[in-house]
Amino acid sequence: MFQAKGYAAVDAQSPLVPFSFERRDPGPEDVQIEILYCGVCHSDLHQARNDWRNSLYPMVPGHEIVGRIVAVGGQVKKFRVGDLAGVGCMVDSCRHCSACNEDLEQYCEEGSTLTYNSRERDSKQLTFGGYSDQIVVDQRFAVKIPASLDLKAVAPLLCAGITTYSPLRHWQVGKGQKVGVIGLGGLGHMGIKFAKAFGARTVMITTSPEKGADALRLGADEVLVSKDKAAMKAHARSFDFLLNTIPNGHDLNPYAALLKRDGTMVLVGALTTLEPALAGASLIGGRRSIAGSAIGGMAETQEMIDFCAEHGIVSDVEMVSIQSVNEAYERLLKNDVKYRFVIDMESLKRTA
Ligand code: NAP
Ligand code: ZN
Ligand code: ZN
């Protein structure tokens, strides 16, 4: 064991505070990573505040981790000391169920071990995430990061990136299709970049008209303000695919009405109950589908990083210090982020 330090939520109400804890020494298959940058995902806020009613405290959030390998176990072939590496939302899974065997560890039938707010498989030890100086992880759950990309802007790819890349790939979004990305935040801005890179006609669907110019700069072909009923009506029955990143329960009906016959809306944001109820007729009438998607498997996460390196895709970030993470949470709640906060972990050295 060695001593690590970070910031933790100690309950659902209090701000995050400096926190020291123990991490395991790297085992034969493990790598130890010195964390350089960690993105702030809306899930961190949901979990720290116990929005999903499953929070375990103390909690060190953070699952958009980029850093440098400082130690490797004896069996590690994939990495060497000095390499750059990324860690996303998972650090382990059962590795023998049908999902794990198909490189879909995020759907592990025994439950994947999350980077934080989870327990290690072989002990009752809580997992602690990336708002910290070091992390130890099995090599299967770390991805290679090419040095050609801007590292601080790579961190959000580990969650916001893969969570949008994976459904767009699974539903084969591409040329000749009209795709809507709902919600211009951390996930949404990556959704636009990927939908555009895959060749789709991309529409940003937002509640914030003032984000329109940014949406176009990020690659959207058009902006649709969801509060504008006339504009929503003009786009009715026209979308092949919708990627819905709204973080809370909301009325799906106006969005479902945007789908063409056989169109699909994939939810990635709202984990809680969606109200008011969805009218069955809106699915039946147009043979429409509503689906969900969770992050992506480790192989697909590496594929996504390599795609980003090839196409020069990274996140648009605002750097923050770990000392200002609580302020960043408040701004996230107020929808005031362009478009991902990333913590420069160097700042942690200033916390005694
Ligand atoms: P975010 O940066 O806060 O962005 C969410 C965006 O949704 C906002 O910028 C806003 O965009 C829109 N929005 C917010 N509240 C809304 C409301 N009540 N009605 C309509 N639109 C609203 O959040 P994020 O980090 O992208 O995360 C989004 C959600 O995905 C979170 O719930 C997070 O926990 C979840 N998530 C899921 C997965 C997964 O594996 N499925 C992975 C990561 C995150 P506009 O201003 O453009 O309307
Ligand atoms: Zn996340
Ligand atoms: Zn499994």
Side-chain angles (χ1 to χ4, degrees):
M1 295 291 226
F2 67 93
Q3 205 66 28
K5 65 179 191 172
Y7 265 57
V10 292
D11 58 43
Q13 289 80 37
S14 316
L16 272 62
V17 290
F19 177 65
S20 285
F21 58 100
E22 287 190 327
R23 289 209 187 267
R24 68 172 186 270
D25 291 318
E29 297 280 348
D30 286 338
V31 295
Q32 182 176 338
I33 301 169
E34 181 191 358
I35 301 175
L36 300 173
Y37 301 108
C38 185
V40 176
C41 180
H42 204 119
S43 302
D44 299 348
L45 177 60
H46 283 309
Q47 305 257 46
R49 306 256 164 111
N50 199 19
D51 289 348
W52 297 332
R53 305 276 159 234
N54 64 355
S55 294
L56 303 166
Y57 301 100
M59 180 195 301
V60 178
H63 58 207
E64 294 185 336
I65 298 167
V66 165
R68 197 173 290 283
I69 308 260
V70 292
V72 296
Q75 303 296 321
V76 173
K77 299 270 188 312
K78 193 166 146 187
F79 295 99
R80 283 195 238 163
V81 169
D83 286 353
L84 296 168
V87 178
C89 301
M90 299 177 285
V91 290
D92 208 350
S93 68
C94 85
R95 306 176 194 210
H96 54 70
C97 72
S98 69
C100 288
N101 286 337
E102 289 175 42
D103 287 327
L104 295 167
E105 301 93 338
Q106 76 275 32
Y107 302 119
C108 175
E109 288 162 18
E110 296 181 16
S112 49
T113 305
L114 301 178
T115 304
Y116 66 88
N117 199 37
S118 204
R119 290 188 193 277
E120 291 185 358
R121 302 191 94 74
D122 52 0
S123 73
K124 289 265 175 276
Q125 178 64 46
L126 284 174
T127 57
F128 293 119
Y131 297 4
S132 61
D133 55 354
Q134 307 269 335
I135 190 163
V136 175
V137 55
D138 186 288
Q139 59 176 336
R140 173 168 173 164
F141 291 87
V143 293
K144 288 167 175 282
I145 305 292
S148 58
L149 291 171
D150 177 7
L151 276 190
K152 59 186 187 304
V154 164
L157 300 179
L158 276 304
C159 175
I162 186 61
T163 303
T164 50
Y165 181 94
S166 182
L168 290 169
R169 281 298 197 213
H170 182 76
W171 275 273
Q172 300 176 346
V173 164
K175 283 196 179 58
Q177 295 184 350
K178 179 174 168 186
V179 170
V181 178
I182 307 171
L184 182 44
L187 268 56
H189 93 290
M190 292 311 307
I192 298 182
K193 292 186 188 209
F194 286 132
K196 190 68 192 169
F198 298 165
R201 175 166 178 78
T202 306
V203 181
M204 184 68 236
I205 304 174
T206 178
T207 59
S208 311
E210 67 280 6
K211 292 183 185 172
D214 278 351
L216 298 175
R217 179 181 56 77
L218 290 163
D221 297 295
E222 204 176 329
V223 177
L224 169 57
V225 176
S226 52
K227 292 175 190 159
D228 179 342
K229 287 206 169 107
M232 289 290 275
K233 204 168 169 194
H235 282 267
R237 295 185 173 272
S238 70
F239 285 86
D240 297 279
F241 185 84
L242 292 169
L243 182 63
N244 181 339
T245 77
I246 298 174
N248 307 304
H250 60 277
D251 187 357
L252 283 181
N253 293 290
Y255 299 109
L258 296 173
L259 290 171
K260 261 186 186 167
R261 172 173 49 80
D262 292 326
T264 300
M265 169 157 55
V266 171
L267 308 182
V268 291
L271 272 76
T272 47
T273 311
L274 293 145
E275 283 171 316
L278 178 68
S282 84
L283 299 186
I284 294 165
R287 198 161 58 183
R288 294 162 167 145
S289 306
I290 304 231
S293 181
I295 44 172
M298 295 317 300
E300 192 175 41
T301 305
Q302 187 67 62
E303 177 194 306
M304 179 271 312
I305 293 282
D306 296 346
F307 180 88
C308 288
E310 196 182 321
H311 296 267
I313 294 174
V314 286
S315 185
D316 285 34
V317 301
E318 178 180 338
M319 299 307 294
V320 295
S321 64
I322 188 76
Q323 292 80 7
S324 57
V325 69
N326 295 302
E327 199 183 309
Y329 276 11
E330 291 313 311
R331 286 183 54 196
L332 200 54
L333 268 182
K334 284 190 235 142
N335 208 350
D336 173 25
V337 54
K338 289 182 175 171
Y339 280 90
R340 194 56 133 194
F341 294 120
V342 171
I343 303 166
D344 184 348
M345 221 39 83
E346 185 71 21
S347 61
L348 188 57
K349 294 182 180 153
R350 299 206 299 267
T351 295

PDB file of all heavy atoms in Angstrom, residues 230-256:
ATOM      1  N   ALA A 230     -42.491  26.151 -32.793  1.00  0.00           N
ATOM      2  CA  ALA A 230     -42.648  26.197 -34.249  1.00  0.00           C
ATOM      3  C   ALA A 230     -41.457  25.520 -34.927  1.00  0.00           C
ATOM      4  O   ALA A 230     -41.623  24.753 -35.891  1.00  0.00           O
ATOM      5  CB  ALA A 230     -42.773  27.650 -34.708  1.00  0.00           C
ATOM      6  N   ALA A 231     -40.264  25.788 -34.408  1.00  0.00           N
ATOM      7  CA  ALA A 231     -39.061  25.179 -34.996  1.00  0.00           C
ATOM      8  C   ALA A 231     -39.092  23.664 -34.794  1.00  0.00           C
ATOM      9  O   ALA A 231     -38.752  22.890 -35.699  1.00  0.00           O
ATOM     10  CB  ALA A 231     -37.811  25.775 -34.367  1.00  0.00           C
ATOM     11  N   MET A 232     -39.537  23.206 -33.607  1.00  0.00           N
ATOM     12  CA  MET A 232     -39.631  21.762 -33.337  1.00  0.00           C
ATOM     13  C   MET A 232     -40.616  21.117 -34.316  1.00  0.00           C
ATOM     14  O   MET A 232     -40.370  20.019 -34.830  1.00  0.00           O
ATOM     15  CB  MET A 232     -40.087  21.512 -31.897  1.00  0.00           C
ATOM     16  CG  MET A 232     -39.043  21.852 -30.844  1.00  0.00           C
ATOM     17  SD  MET A 232     -37.610  20.736 -30.804  1.00  0.00           S
ATOM     18  CE  MET A 232     -38.222  19.421 -29.747  1.00  0.00           C
ATOM     19  N   LYS A 233     -41.697  21.814 -34.589  1.00  0.00           N
ATOM     20  CA  LYS A 233     -42.703  21.287 -35.513  1.00  0.00           C
ATOM     21  C   LYS A 233     -42.134  21.192 -36.929  1.00  0.00           C
ATOM     22  O   LYS A 233     -42.362  20.202 -37.642  1.00  0.00           O
ATOM     23  CB  LYS A 233     -43.934  22.212 -35.499  1.00  0.00           C
ATOM     24  CG  LYS A 233     -45.199  21.526 -35.917  1.00  0.00           C
ATOM     25  CD  LYS A 233     -46.424  22.379 -35.622  1.00  0.00           C
ATOM     26  CE  LYS A 233     -47.634  21.751 -36.315  1.00  0.00           C
ATOM     27  NZ  LYS A 233     -48.763  22.666 -36.356  1.00  0.00           N
ATOM     28  N   ALA A 234     -41.338  22.189 -37.285  1.00  0.00           N
ATOM     29  CA  ALA A 234     -40.748  22.194 -38.633  1.00  0.00           C
ATOM     30  C   ALA A 234     -39.779  21.016 -38.822  1.00  0.00           C
ATOM     31  O   ALA A 234     -39.570  20.557 -39.943  1.00  0.00           O
ATOM     32  CB  ALA A 234     -40.037  23.518 -38.876  1.00  0.00           C
ATOM     33  N   HIS A 235     -39.190  20.538 -37.720  1.00  0.00           N
ATOM     34  CA  HIS A 235     -38.244  19.407 -37.799  1.00  0.00           C
ATOM     35  C   HIS A 235     -38.918  18.060 -37.478  1.00  0.00           C
ATOM     36  O   HIS A 235     -38.239  17.035 -37.417  1.00  0.00           O
ATOM     37  CB  HIS A 235     -37.078  19.622 -36.828  1.00  0.00           C
ATOM     38  CG  HIS A 235     -36.048  20.590 -37.307  1.00  0.00           C
ATOM     39  ND1 HIS A 235     -34.925  20.204 -38.007  1.00  0.00           N
ATOM     40  CD2 HIS A 235     -35.966  21.933 -37.206  1.00  0.00           C
ATOM     41  CE1 HIS A 235     -34.193  21.266 -38.295  1.00  0.00           C
ATOM     42  NE2 HIS A 235     -34.800  22.333 -37.821  1.00  0.00           N
ATOM     43  N   ALA A 236     -40.228  18.067 -37.262  1.00  0.00           N
ATOM     44  CA  ALA A 236     -40.916  16.810 -36.887  1.00  0.00           C
ATOM     45  C   ALA A 236     -40.698  15.740 -37.958  1.00  0.00           C
ATOM     46  O   ALA A 236     -40.622  16.041 -39.151  1.00  0.00           O
ATOM     47  CB  ALA A 236     -42.411  17.080 -36.707  1.00  0.00           C
ATOM     48  N   ARG A 237     -40.574  14.501 -37.505  1.00  0.00           N
ATOM     49  CA  ARG A 237     -40.434  13.335 -38.394  1.00  0.00           C
ATOM     50  C   ARG A 237     -39.269  13.441 -39.380  1.00  0.00           C
ATOM     51  O   ARG A 237     -39.332  12.919 -40.490  1.00  0.00           O
ATOM     52  CB  ARG A 237     -41.732  13.116 -39.210  1.00  0.00           C
ATOM     53  CG  ARG A 237     -42.919  12.754 -38.333  1.00  0.00           C
ATOM     54  CD  ARG A 237     -44.154  12.425 -39.158  1.00  0.00           C
ATOM     55  NE  ARG A 237     -45.207  11.935 -38.276  1.00  0.00           N
ATOM     56  CZ  ARG A 237     -45.359  10.655 -37.930  1.00  0.00           C
ATOM     57  NH1 ARG A 237     -44.539   9.734 -38.414  1.00  0.00           N
ATOM     58  NH2 ARG A 237     -46.320  10.301 -37.118  1.00  0.00           N
ATOM     59  N   SER A 238     -38.173  14.083 -38.961  1.00  0.00           N
ATOM     60  CA  SER A 238     -37.087  14.280 -39.929  1.00  0.00           C
ATOM     61  C   SER A 238     -35.747  13.670 -39.513  1.00  0.00           C
ATOM     62  O   SER A 238     -34.827  13.610 -40.321  1.00  0.00           O
ATOM     63  CB  SER A 238     -36.896  15.775 -40.200  1.00  0.00           C
ATOM     64  OG  SER A 238     -36.340  16.422 -39.069  1.00  0.00           O
ATOM     65  N   PHE A 239     -35.609  13.208 -38.271  1.00  0.00           N
ATOM     66  CA  PHE A 239     -34.301  12.718 -37.808  1.00  0.00           C
ATOM     67  C   PHE A 239     -34.183  11.192 -37.896  1.00  0.00           C
ATOM     68  O   PHE A 239     -35.081  10.468 -37.480  1.00  0.00           O
ATOM     69  CB  PHE A 239     -34.064  13.125 -36.351  1.00  0.00           C
ATOM     70  CG  PHE A 239     -33.711  14.577 -36.189  1.00  0.00           C
ATOM     71  CD1 PHE A 239     -34.716  15.534 -36.075  1.00  0.00           C
ATOM     72  CD2 PHE A 239     -32.389  14.992 -36.162  1.00  0.00           C
ATOM     73  CE1 PHE A 239     -34.399  16.873 -35.932  1.00  0.00           C
ATOM     74  CE2 PHE A 239     -32.066  16.338 -36.018  1.00  0.00           C
ATOM     75  CZ  PHE A 239     -33.073  17.284 -35.906  1.00  0.00           C
ATOM     76  N   ASP A 240     -33.034  10.741 -38.412  1.00  0.00           N
ATOM     77  CA  ASP A 240     -32.744   9.299 -38.401  1.00  0.00           C
ATOM     78  C   ASP A 240     -32.339   8.839 -37.012  1.00  0.00           C
ATOM     79  O   ASP A 240     -32.603   7.697 -36.622  1.00  0.00           O
ATOM     80  CB  ASP A 240     -31.579   8.993 -39.356  1.00  0.00           C
ATOM     81  CG  ASP A 240     -31.926   9.326 -40.783  1.00  0.00           C
ATOM     82  OD1 ASP A 240     -32.603   8.493 -41.416  1.00  0.00           O
ATOM     83  OD2 ASP A 240     -31.565  10.428 -41.254  1.00  0.00           O
ATOM     84  N   PHE A 241     -31.665   9.727 -36.288  1.00  0.00           N
ATOM     85  CA  PHE A 241     -31.065   9.312 -35.017  1.00  0.00           C
ATOM     86  C   PHE A 241     -30.955  10.515 -34.093  1.00  0.00           C
ATOM     87  O   PHE A 241     -30.615  11.618 -34.535  1.00  0.00           O
ATOM     88  CB  PHE A 241     -29.664   8.747 -35.288  1.00  0.00           C
ATOM     89  CG  PHE A 241     -28.973   8.160 -34.090  1.00  0.00           C
ATOM     90  CD1 PHE A 241     -29.234   6.851 -33.700  1.00  0.00           C
ATOM     91  CD2 PHE A 241     -28.066   8.906 -33.350  1.00  0.00           C
ATOM     92  CE1 PHE A 241     -28.598   6.306 -32.584  1.00  0.00           C
ATOM     93  CE2 PHE A 241     -27.425   8.362 -32.233  1.00  0.00           C
ATOM     94  CZ  PHE A 241     -27.693   7.055 -31.864  1.00  0.00           C
ATOM     95  N   LEU A 242     -31.245  10.285 -32.815  1.00  0.00           N
ATOM     96  CA  LEU A 242     -31.091  11.337 -31.804  1.00  0.00           C
ATOM     97  C   LEU A 242     -30.239  10.798 -30.652  1.00  0.00           C
ATOM     98  O   LEU A 242     -30.487   9.690 -30.163  1.00  0.00           O
ATOM     99  CB  LEU A 242     -32.458  11.756 -31.244  1.00  0.00           C
ATOM    100  CG  LEU A 242     -33.410  12.491 -32.193  1.00  0.00           C
ATOM    101  CD1 LEU A 242     -34.816  12.583 -31.555  1.00  0.00           C
ATOM    102  CD2 LEU A 242     -32.892  13.888 -32.531  1.00  0.00           C
ATOM    103  N   LEU A 243     -29.259  11.580 -30.243  1.00  0.00           N
ATOM    104  CA  LEU A 243     -28.437  11.223 -29.088  1.00  0.00           C
ATOM    105  C   LEU A 243     -28.810  12.187 -27.968  1.00  0.00           C
ATOM    106  O   LEU A 243     -28.539  13.381 -28.049  1.00  0.00           O
ATOM    107  CB  LEU A 243     -26.949  11.369 -29.455  1.00  0.00           C
ATOM    108  CG  LEU A 243     -25.944  10.987 -28.382  1.00  0.00           C
ATOM    109  CD1 LEU A 243     -26.059   9.511 -28.020  1.00  0.00           C
ATOM    110  CD2 LEU A 243     -24.522  11.282 -28.853  1.00  0.00           C
ATOM    111  N   ASN A 244     -29.461  11.658 -26.942  1.00  0.00           N
ATOM    112  CA  ASN A 244     -30.051  12.495 -25.897  1.00  0.00           C
ATOM    113  C   ASN A 244     -29.162  12.488 -24.655  1.00  0.00           C
ATOM    114  O   ASN A 244     -29.081  11.487 -23.943  1.00  0.00           O
ATOM    115  CB  ASN A 244     -31.450  11.963 -25.580  1.00  0.00           C
ATOM    116  CG  ASN A 244     -32.170  12.776 -24.530  1.00  0.00           C
ATOM    117  OD1 ASN A 244     -31.559  13.485 -23.751  1.00  0.00           O
ATOM    118  ND2 ASN A 244     -33.495  12.655 -24.502  1.00  0.00           N
ATOM    119  N   THR A 245     -28.504  13.627 -24.370  1.00  0.00           N
ATOM    120  CA  THR A 245     -27.565  13.706 -23.228  1.00  0.00           C
ATOM    121  C   THR A 245     -28.137  14.470 -22.034  1.00  0.00           C
ATOM    122  O   THR A 245     -27.400  14.790 -21.105  1.00  0.00           O
ATOM    123  CB  THR A 245     -26.240  14.391 -23.648  1.00  0.00           C
ATOM    124  OG1 THR A 245     -26.431  15.821 -23.740  1.00  0.00           O
ATOM    125  CG2 THR A 245     -25.710  13.867 -24.966  1.00  0.00           C
ATOM    126  N   ILE A 246     -29.424  14.767 -22.048  1.00  0.00           N
ATOM    127  CA  ILE A 246     -30.016  15.545 -20.936  1.00  0.00           C
ATOM    128  C   ILE A 246     -29.803  14.798 -19.609  1.00  0.00           C
ATOM    129  O   ILE A 246     -30.112  13.612 -19.512  1.00  0.00           O
ATOM    130  CB  ILE A 246     -31.522  15.798 -21.193  1.00  0.00           C
ATOM    131  CG1 ILE A 246     -31.692  16.633 -22.473  1.00  0.00           C
ATOM    132  CG2 ILE A 246     -32.176  16.509 -20.007  1.00  0.00           C
ATOM    133  CD1 ILE A 246     -33.139  16.826 -22.911  1.00  0.00           C
ATOM    134  N   PRO A 247     -29.261  15.505 -18.588  1.00  0.00           N
ATOM    135  CA  PRO A 247     -28.839  14.798 -17.369  1.00  0.00           C
ATOM    136  C   PRO A 247     -29.936  14.411 -16.393  1.00  0.00           C
ATOM    137  O   PRO A 247     -29.677  13.677 -15.439  1.00  0.00           O
ATOM    138  CB  PRO A 247     -27.875  15.797 -16.704  1.00  0.00           C
ATOM    139  CG  PRO A 247     -28.211  17.123 -17.258  1.00  0.00           C
ATOM    140  CD  PRO A 247     -28.837  16.916 -18.600  1.00  0.00           C
ATOM    141  N   ASN A 248     -31.149  14.903 -16.603  1.00  0.00           N
ATOM    142  CA  ASN A 248     -32.216  14.648 -15.618  1.00  0.00           C
ATOM    143  C   ASN A 248     -33.446  14.084 -16.307  1.00  0.00           C
ATOM    144  O   ASN A 248     -33.558  14.140 -17.537  1.00  0.00           O
ATOM    145  CB  ASN A 248     -32.600  15.970 -14.940  1.00  0.00           C
ATOM    146  CG  ASN A 248     -31.388  16.679 -14.380  1.00  0.00           C
ATOM    147  OD1 ASN A 248     -30.649  16.098 -13.587  1.00  0.00           O
ATOM    148  ND2 ASN A 248     -31.157  17.900 -14.822  1.00  0.00           N
ATOM    149  N   GLY A 249     -34.393  13.607 -15.476  1.00  0.00           N
ATOM    150  CA  GLY A 249     -35.670  13.162 -16.014  1.00  0.00           C
ATOM    151  C   GLY A 249     -36.317  14.302 -16.790  1.00  0.00           C
ATOM    152  O   GLY A 249     -36.220  15.457 -16.384  1.00  0.00           O
ATOM    153  N   HIS A 250     -36.944  13.994 -17.917  1.00  0.00           N
ATOM    154  CA  HIS A 250     -37.558  15.059 -18.725  1.00  0.00           C
ATOM    155  C   HIS A 250     -38.613  14.451 -19.635  1.00  0.00           C
ATOM    156  O   HIS A 250     -38.719  13.225 -19.747  1.00  0.00           O
ATOM    157  CB  HIS A 250     -36.489  15.789 -19.538  1.00  0.00           C
ATOM    158  CG  HIS A 250     -35.739  14.888 -20.479  1.00  0.00           C
ATOM    159  ND1 HIS A 250     -34.669  14.124 -20.063  1.00  0.00           N
ATOM    160  CD2 HIS A 250     -35.903  14.600 -21.789  1.00  0.00           C
ATOM    161  CE1 HIS A 250     -34.209  13.415 -21.074  1.00  0.00           C
ATOM    162  NE2 HIS A 250     -34.945  13.674 -22.142  1.00  0.00           N
ATOM    163  N   ASP A 251     -39.366  15.314 -20.302  1.00  0.00           N
ATOM    164  CA  ASP A 251     -40.432  14.874 -21.205  1.00  0.00           C
ATOM    165  C   ASP A 251     -39.816  14.438 -22.540  1.00  0.00           C
ATOM    166  O   ASP A 251     -39.280  15.263 -23.293  1.00  0.00           O
ATOM    167  CB  ASP A 251     -41.405  16.051 -21.411  1.00  0.00           C
ATOM    168  CG  ASP A 251     -42.638  15.653 -22.206  1.00  0.00           C
ATOM    169  OD1 ASP A 251     -42.713  14.476 -22.650  1.00  0.00           O
ATOM    170  OD2 ASP A 251     -43.521  16.514 -22.392  1.00  0.00           O
ATOM    171  N   LEU A 252     -39.908  13.138 -22.833  1.00  0.00           N
ATOM    172  CA  LEU A 252     -39.319  12.608 -24.072  1.00  0.00           C
ATOM    173  C   LEU A 252     -40.198  12.880 -25.286  1.00  0.00           C
ATOM    174  O   LEU A 252     -39.723  12.836 -26.420  1.00  0.00           O
ATOM    175  CB  LEU A 252     -39.167  11.078 -23.961  1.00  0.00           C
ATOM    176  CG  LEU A 252     -38.029  10.529 -23.127  1.00  0.00           C
ATOM    177  CD1 LEU A 252     -38.056   9.005 -23.193  1.00  0.00           C
ATOM    178  CD2 LEU A 252     -36.689  11.032 -23.649  1.00  0.00           C
ATOM    179  N   ASN A 253     -41.497  13.127 -25.046  1.00  0.00           N
ATOM    180  CA  ASN A 253     -42.453  13.186 -26.166  1.00  0.00           C
ATOM    181  C   ASN A 253     -42.072  14.194 -27.255  1.00  0.00           C
ATOM    182  O   ASN A 253     -42.102  13.833 -28.443  1.00  0.00           O
ATOM    183  CB  ASN A 253     -43.865  13.449 -25.628  1.00  0.00           C
ATOM    184  CG  ASN A 253     -44.363  12.257 -24.826  1.00  0.00           C
ATOM    185  OD1 ASN A 253     -44.655  11.198 -25.381  1.00  0.00           O
ATOM    186  ND2 ASN A 253     -44.431  12.405 -23.516  1.00  0.00           N
ATOM    187  N   PRO A 254     -41.687  15.433 -26.886  1.00  0.00           N
ATOM    188  CA  PRO A 254     -41.346  16.376 -27.966  1.00  0.00           C
ATOM    189  C   PRO A 254     -40.146  15.925 -28.800  1.00  0.00           C
ATOM    190  O   PRO A 254     -40.072  16.212 -29.995  1.00  0.00           O
ATOM    191  CB  PRO A 254     -41.014  17.677 -27.225  1.00  0.00           C
ATOM    192  CG  PRO A 254     -41.390  17.494 -25.813  1.00  0.00           C
ATOM    193  CD  PRO A 254     -41.600  16.041 -25.554  1.00  0.00           C
ATOM    194  N   TYR A 255     -39.220  15.195 -28.161  1.00  0.00           N
ATOM    195  CA  TYR A 255     -38.042  14.724 -28.897  1.00  0.00           C
ATOM    196  C   TYR A 255     -38.399  13.517 -29.764  1.00  0.00           C
ATOM    197  O   TYR A 255     -37.970  13.416 -30.919  1.00  0.00           O
ATOM    198  CB  TYR A 255     -36.896  14.388 -27.930  1.00  0.00           C
ATOM    199  CG  TYR A 255     -36.436  15.589 -27.129  1.00  0.00           C
ATOM    200  CD1 TYR A 255     -36.711  15.692 -25.765  1.00  0.00           C
ATOM    201  CD2 TYR A 255     -35.769  16.640 -27.737  1.00  0.00           C
ATOM    202  CE1 TYR A 255     -36.314  16.803 -25.032  1.00  0.00           C
ATOM    203  CE2 TYR A 255     -35.367  17.763 -27.016  1.00  0.00           C
ATOM    204  CZ  TYR A 255     -35.645  17.839 -25.665  1.00  0.00           C
ATOM    205  OH  TYR A 255     -35.252  18.942 -24.941  1.00  0.00           O
ATOM    206  N   ALA A 256     -39.221  12.599 -29.208  1.00  0.00           N
ATOM    207  CA  ALA A 256     -39.623  11.415 -29.994  1.00  0.00           C
ATOM    208  C   ALA A 256     -40.332  11.848 -31.283  1.00  0.00           C
ATOM    209  O   ALA A 256     -40.179  11.222 -32.331  1.00  0.00           O
ATOM    210  CB  ALA A 256     -40.525  10.513 -29.154  1.00  0.00           C
TER     211      ALA A 256
END
